[in-house]
Amino acid sequence: MTTSAPVPRQAALVYNPIKVDGKHLRARVRDLSREAGWEHPAFYPTTVEDAGQHATAQALERGVDVVLVAGGDGTVRAVSEAIANSGVPLAILPSGTGNLLARNLGLPLGDPTEMIRAALGDFRHPIDIGWARLTRQDGEEARHAFVVLAGMGLDADMIANTRSDLKRSVGWIAYVDGAARSLPRAKPFRAVYQVDEGRLHSHRAYSLLFANCGTLPAGISLIPDASITDAALDVAVIQPTGIFGWFGVWRKIWWDNSVLHRFRAGRRVLEHRGKNASVHYFHGSAAEAASTDPVPIELDGDEFGEAVRITCWADPGALLLALPSGHPVHTL
């Protein structure tokens, strides 16, 4: 009786050459693959024409055993969109400006070595992703994935007004500049929205946010109890009235969610406080919002033009992650 030799496994690296040192990263993945007994890895740089979807499709057609992604939030989103529901694990090598998904997952943000070793290891865990169907004013529809957040309104306008050169030099702080450019001329829009089969709501809002997970840059907790494994989205409707309303938004998102919610005594304070009229939260597996006029859209920090309708839903367990052995998945 003969036993066939095990087939060597192979990793693929999809990377944004503008965001990472491709030469150094390729060498590191190659060396660690050899050390682990894997085949020489396959490398796929993204381009202006391909944010990562086509590169990932090529890697999957090749039959690789794991895909590593290195780049900004947009690259992670594009690769996640292409690899979703394939059963092939994805390893995120934190790089770029925000690292929003990596931060929400509690991944190591420094040396990529630990995450490369995780990719070549055996610890895997599924997480949800979100999908957004956008309807343009002319009726054209487009569908895209998001792993952190889809936004309609002011947040998308802020991203559109953020200077790319400033993002490269100072990172996520550049969004403060975008906010300064957008807030003075910000106007609410009339939105009709519904979560699951609940009742229709109609409000004048500045932003509607559809979150797969809840933490933003600088430790700001948009939705402190959001989970990336609960098969649901959390919806935040930002609708301040006047300067005191904006203070209410700041108090809710920055102070209440990001500071008080972390401590037992702070949570007691929040339990006895009434609802904040400037920020409303909903929870469900799907949500839809529409406006009579086109409104800016963003997905994971990238602008996606304007739409008159957005329909978002959670795709449970669609993304299989490669994680460091023993990573605390119960916190996700």
Side-chain angles (χ1 to χ4, degrees):
M1 180 176 179
T2 59
T3 303
S4 59
V7 178
R9 293 185 287 178
Q10 185 183 37
L13 170 66
V14 179
Y15 66 98
N16 185 333
I18 297 175
K19 298 284 187 177
V20 303
D21 182 344
K23 182 178 180 180
H24 174 78
L25 192 56
R26 289 195 305 269
R28 197 75 185 114
V29 174
R30 183 174 57 247
D31 292 345
L32 290 173
S33 290
R34 186 188 309 117
E35 179 184 298
W38 287 45
E39 284 188 4
H40 188 288
F43 301 122
Y44 299 92
T46 64
T47 64
V48 174
E49 294 78 20
D50 173 37
Q53 290 96 332
H54 181 62
T56 305
Q58 287 183 301
L60 295 177
E61 288 174 6
R62 190 185 185 102
V64 299
D65 298 276
V66 66
V67 173
L68 299 85
V69 57
D73 293 322
T75 306
V76 173
R77 189 207 66 78
V79 172
S80 298
E81 179 175 292
I83 205 172
N85 294 303
S86 70
V88 177
L90 177 68
I92 301 165
L93 309 185
S95 46
T97 304
N99 292 308
L100 286 182
L101 181 57
R103 293 177 191 276
N104 277 275
L105 294 170
L107 300 183
L109 300 179
D111 187 343
T113 298
E114 186 175 354
M115 285 307 302
I116 297 173
R117 292 190 189 280
L120 305 173
D122 296 311
F123 188 51
R124 310 294 191 239
H125 190 75
I127 63 168
D128 309 336
I129 65 169
W131 292 95
R133 184 171 61 248
L134 311 179
T135 304
R136 311 296 183 182
Q137 191 172 27
D138 62 2
E140 179 187 353
E141 291 189 347
R143 192 182 84 153
H144 302 280
F146 61 94
V147 291
V148 177
L149 185 76
M152 183 183 201
L154 178 59
D155 63 302
D157 192 60
M158 288 164 52
I159 288 168
N161 279 317
T162 298
R163 291 164 42 197
S164 58
D165 60 328
L166 206 58
K167 282 180 66 176
R168 286 193 294 270
S169 60
V170 300
W172 64 265
I173 298 175
Y175 291 118
V176 176
D177 175 73
R181 294 167 182 267
S182 297
L183 281 172
R185 58 183 178 81
K187 294 181 180 179
F189 60 95
R190 173 63 65 178
V192 177
Y193 58 93
Q194 183 180 32
V195 179
D196 289 337
E197 299 302 320
R199 71 181 182 87
L200 284 174
H201 300 266
S202 178
H203 292 291
R204 292 183 64 81
Y206 282 87
S207 281
L208 277 80
L209 306 171
F210 307 86
N212 190 37
C213 43
T215 300
L216 304 179
I220 297 174
S221 182
L222 174 66
I223 302 164
D225 294 322
S227 169
I228 202 167
T229 59
D230 64 355
L233 299 176
D234 290 275
V235 181
V237 181
I238 313 298
Q239 51 180 75
T241 302
I243 187 66
F244 291 107
W246 282 110
F247 175 77
V249 172
W250 175 86
R251 189 187 71 173
K252 182 61 179 177
I253 294 177
W254 175 252
W255 180 247
D256 292 1
N257 292 354
S258 307
V259 178
L260 290 184
H261 195 273
R262 296 180 180 179
F263 306 99
R264 182 181 299 175
R267 290 193 291 272
R268 287 202 198 99
V269 171
L270 296 177
E271 288 172 3
H272 291 89
R273 182 185 290 171
K275 289 186 177 181
N276 188 316
S278 297
V279 184
H280 291 270
Y281 290 110
F282 301 89
H283 184 80
S285 60
E288 184 173 17
S291 174
T292 53
D293 298 314
V295 181
I297 301 293
E298 62 92 2
L299 302 176
D300 290 343
D302 283 344
E303 53 182 310
F304 272 75
E306 294 184 332
V308 293
R309 182 184 298 268
I310 182 172
T311 304
C312 297
W313 65 95
D315 194 353
L319 201 58
L320 184 63
L321 292 182
L323 297 172
S325 180
H327 191 76
V329 294
H330 67 278
T331 63
L332 304 181

